[in-house]
Amino acid sequence: MKLIKQFCSFVGKEIDIKQASLINIIRSEIAEKGAISFPRFWHQALLHEKFGYYMKQDVFNKDGDFVTSVEISQMFNELIGIWLLNTFQHIGVLDNNFRPTNQKMHILEFGPGLGTLSSNVLRVFAQFNLLENIQYSYVEYSDYMRKKQQEAVLKQLQKSNIYPKYEYNNQKVEKFESAEVNLKWFKMYEHFLYEETREGQHCDPVLILAHEFFDALPVNIFEYSGGQWCEKLVGLDQDGKTLKFILSNGPNQNVQKILNPDKYFSPEIKKLIKEGDTIEISPQSGVIANSLAELIAKVGGAALIIDYGEKRAFSDSIRAIQRHKLMDKNDILNKPGDCDLSAYVNFMALEQAALKVEGIKVPELMTQGNWLEQMGIQARLQILCKNANKATEKRLQSEYERLVHSNQMGSNFKFMCIHRTKNNNLFPFIQDAQQIYY
Ligand code: SAH
């Protein structure tokens, strides 16, 4: 009956078969249940099993839709590799001479994209003869991306004559193992937690990487309308086809549960709120940041979260990118699966969520430019340039500028660290360090 009803609702309308499905699936859902929350739309657009943006295509680099720092330059990834080694030593997983102890070097990476960061990190570890005793865990929702990551990582390990064998796949975790390394791909962070930290399971300290992961997590949008907070939902226009934002009829459950305006806004801010003001909140980001802090407090380690954003909430930061171009705001809802969706990261919310956990410290946020300079990007650039021809030297120099200069990616992107209070001052996050802007 339901199927017939759905089919009838489309009779007489022309359906573009090529872009069919995802938008039609969303339309049907709305027709059946009423307007959906923006995070529900977001999940379908990026991660729908068949048609989701990350589930079916190469989205990175020249032929894709966007480029990230890890794809721009090996220098970026190498310095993260060095940070990992340095931090492993600082927390006692490597000894004073950077030699392994009896603890595993456990790295957990969220949303590894093409696997480039991870491959470069493993290359750095190989250069220091440290490709043993590594456990590298990955959280990746997309089967398509997971395959790409596995190809890249296994290719890198082959260069060191390491051939991890496919161990098993039970939908939630895929494992590759060798005498030296142990690689595990988890579809969701919950699966990682279940597998690695359940009762009786031993988990060594873990260093966590999240590069442009949090900006891919959905936000709820709330709007102040008619003297009350409402949620911006995704509904259908009168034509029954076009998706558009509509406001909930007054404060819905999410207004109370997620925004909770009475608590969220201070009395001074409340006085300034006016008709049409909006605010974005990502509950999933808070939950993950809090859980990472709990994990670190329990097993030791630290998290390095890198993304564009600031220490504040945003009102209108959602972006849809296709073929390196920002899409018109009105198109955001009508190209699900064909463009990337992202929102600026509210580092204040991540910090507050992490600091709810006892024994956790979050030092001052650093800009990407500052972090890379402190980690020695100029020295690395000089060494690479020494052995390079003129064309390569020029390329390296422009990569450096793109990553570090403030009019490029140097100040929009931030580095955030979460660590245990007892591992004070994790380099280069020195709390009262002067922030240098380039
Ligand atoms: N870190 C990479 C990729 C960033 S794009 C880089 O900087 O180049 C975001 C990545 O996160 C993709 O690999 C995407 O498939 C994955 N992803 C997006 N949402 C996710 C979710 N909810 N859970 C797990 N992985 C997700």
Side-chain angles (χ1 to χ4, degrees):
M1 222 6 228
K2 215 157 102 187
L3 261 183
I4 294 176
K5 240 165 104 189
Q6 264 176 30
F7 177 68
C8 288
S9 70
F10 289 119
V11 169
K13 288 180 186 158
E14 264 187 75
I15 294 174
D16 175 351
I17 296 297
K18 261 209 291 162
Q19 68 122 302
S21 310
L22 188 50
I23 193 149
N24 285 344
I25 290 167
I26 297 174
R27 281 173 185 150
S28 311
E29 186 173 336
I30 297 172
E32 195 189 325
K33 299 188 194 150
I36 57 174
S37 72
F38 188 52
R40 170 66 186 160
F41 169 85
W42 184 298
H43 178 86
Q44 295 288 72
L46 294 191
L47 303 174
H48 179 275
E49 283 306 323
K50 201 159 167 205
F51 303 111
Y53 179 72
Y54 282 114
M55 310 299 273
K56 59 180 170 102
Q57 63 207 336
D58 276 344
V59 300
F60 300 94
N61 299 334
K62 256 203 200 131
D63 298 330
D65 296 310
F66 61 93
V67 184
T68 63
S69 294
V70 307
E71 299 298 330
I72 289 175
S73 175
Q74 69 180 81
M75 293 184 283
F76 185 86
N77 304 334
E78 287 166 350
L79 293 175
I80 291 178
I82 297 294
W83 183 84
L84 291 170
L85 288 178
N86 196 47
T87 308
F88 273 134
Q89 190 202 45
H90 191 89
I91 64 175
V93 172
L94 291 173
D95 71 15
N96 285 344
N97 300 315
F98 287 96
R99 298 322 305 157
T101 59
N102 58 355
Q103 291 181 314
K104 270 199 217 140
M105 287 185 283
H106 190 179
I107 301 167
L108 164 64
E109 185 180 344
F110 281 83
L114 295 175
T116 314
L117 173 59
S118 160
S119 306
N120 283 214
V121 160
L122 291 168
R123 184 167 54 75
V124 171
F125 278 50
Q127 274 167 4
F128 286 86
N129 269 331
L130 277 170
L131 269 192
E132 57 193 275
N133 228 7
I134 287 185
Q135 178 177 338
Y136 211 127
S137 301
Y138 304 85
V139 173
E140 174 56 67
Y141 194 89
S142 154
D143 293 346
Y144 182 90
M145 296 308 302
R146 218 176 301 140
K147 288 273 163 308
K148 294 261 161 195
Q149 292 152 19
Q150 288 163 0
E151 273 166 32
V153 170
L154 295 176
K155 203 164 141 203
Q156 181 58 46
L157 288 172
Q158 275 172 24
K159 292 183 186 155
S160 305
N161 288 321
I162 295 175
Y163 299 88
K165 287 230 166 50
Y166 189 60
E167 278 297 311
Y168 73 84
N169 174 8
N170 73 0
Q171 299 267 310
K172 293 182 179 149
V173 45
E174 261 185 288
K175 284 192 190 179
F176 293 79
E177 275 177 7
S178 74
E180 300 86 358
V181 301
N182 178 336
L183 312 171
K184 294 185 188 176
W185 270 265
F186 300 89
K187 189 173 172 91
M188 293 163 78
Y189 177 52
E190 288 83 344
H191 301 153
F192 168 88
L193 286 177
Y194 175 75
E195 183 84 7
E196 298 298 311
T197 64
R198 68 183 158 201
E199 205 68 18
Q201 191 81 3
H202 172 75
C203 189
D204 283 311
V206 55
L207 295 186
I208 300 155
L209 300 175
H211 186 261
E212 290 218 35
F213 171 75
F214 280 92
D215 70 83
L217 298 182
V219 293
N220 292 77
I221 314 170
F222 300 101
E223 182 173 321
Y224 194 67
S225 169
Q228 53 187 357
W229 283 97
C230 303
E231 185 176 7
K232 264 176 119 173
L233 303 167
V234 179
L236 279 172
D237 207 350
Q238 274 171 352
D239 63 4
K241 252 179 126 177
T242 316
L243 299 184
K244 66 167 197 177
F245 280 118
I246 56 168
L247 276 189
S248 66
N249 205 354
N252 64 4
Q253 257 193 356
N254 286 343
V255 169
Q256 280 321 320
K257 242 176 43 195
I258 296 171
L259 175 64
N260 197 354
D262 287 341
K263 271 188 154 177
Y264 191 90
F265 300 107
S266 65
E268 297 79 53
I269 297 282
K270 273 188 195 146
K271 279 188 217 141
L272 301 175
I273 294 170
K274 53 185 188 322
E275 188 72 10
D277 279 351
T278 56
I279 184 163
E280 299 164 356
I281 298 184
S282 170
Q284 201 182 350
S285 299
V287 169
I288 295 180
N290 179 260
S291 171
L292 293 181
E294 272 179 355
L295 178 66
I296 292 165
K298 187 168 156 204
V299 305
L304 188 62
I305 297 172
I306 308 160
D307 231 306
Y308 53 91
E310 285 171 31
K311 268 177 92 167
R312 65 176 177 94
F314 292 89
S315 59
D316 187 17
S317 79
I318 292 145
R319 305 194 309 174
I321 292 200
Q322 194 177 37
R323 304 248 135 227
H324 303 269
K325 284 213 186 85
L326 205 57
M327 283 170 60
D328 191 290
K329 282 237 157 69
N330 298 323
D331 280 345
I332 287 184
L333 296 182
N334 286 292
K335 297 254 165 94
D338 291 337
C339 58
D340 181 39
L341 280 179
S342 64
Y344 277 45
V345 172
N346 175 354
F347 283 102
M348 182 59 92
L350 299 188
E351 183 178 312
Q352 283 169 349
L355 288 177
K356 280 190 190 144
V357 179
E358 214 173 299
I360 285 296
K361 177 172 169 179
V362 179
E364 199 48 69
L365 214 58
M366 290 179 81
T367 62
Q368 173 159 307
N370 190 10
W371 194 89
L372 291 170
E373 291 290 12
Q374 301 289 333
M375 287 297 298
I377 191 167
Q378 292 210 21
R380 185 65 189 141
L381 175 69
Q382 273 165 23
I383 288 171
L384 289 172
C385 283
K386 239 189 203 163
N387 306 317
N389 59 30
K390 274 270 162 274
T392 311
E393 201 181 317
K394 209 169 147 205
R395 173 176 59 75
L396 287 164
Q397 183 64 34
S398 91
E399 289 172 4
Y400 162 81
E401 285 166 15
R402 196 155 167 207
L403 293 174
V404 168
H405 283 189
S406 66
N407 56 354
Q408 303 204 40
M409 298 169 97
S411 56
N412 285 347
F413 281 79
K414 310 290 191 308
F415 278 58
M416 176 184 182
C417 186
I418 301 174
H419 64 86
R420 280 174 162 183
T421 317
K422 64 177 170 199
N423 297 130
N424 216 356
N425 290 349
L426 277 197
F427 188 81
F429 294 93
I430 314 293
Q431 186 137 33
D432 43 13
Q434 273 239 315
Q435 294 283 306
I436 305 161
Y437 288 88
Y438 293 88

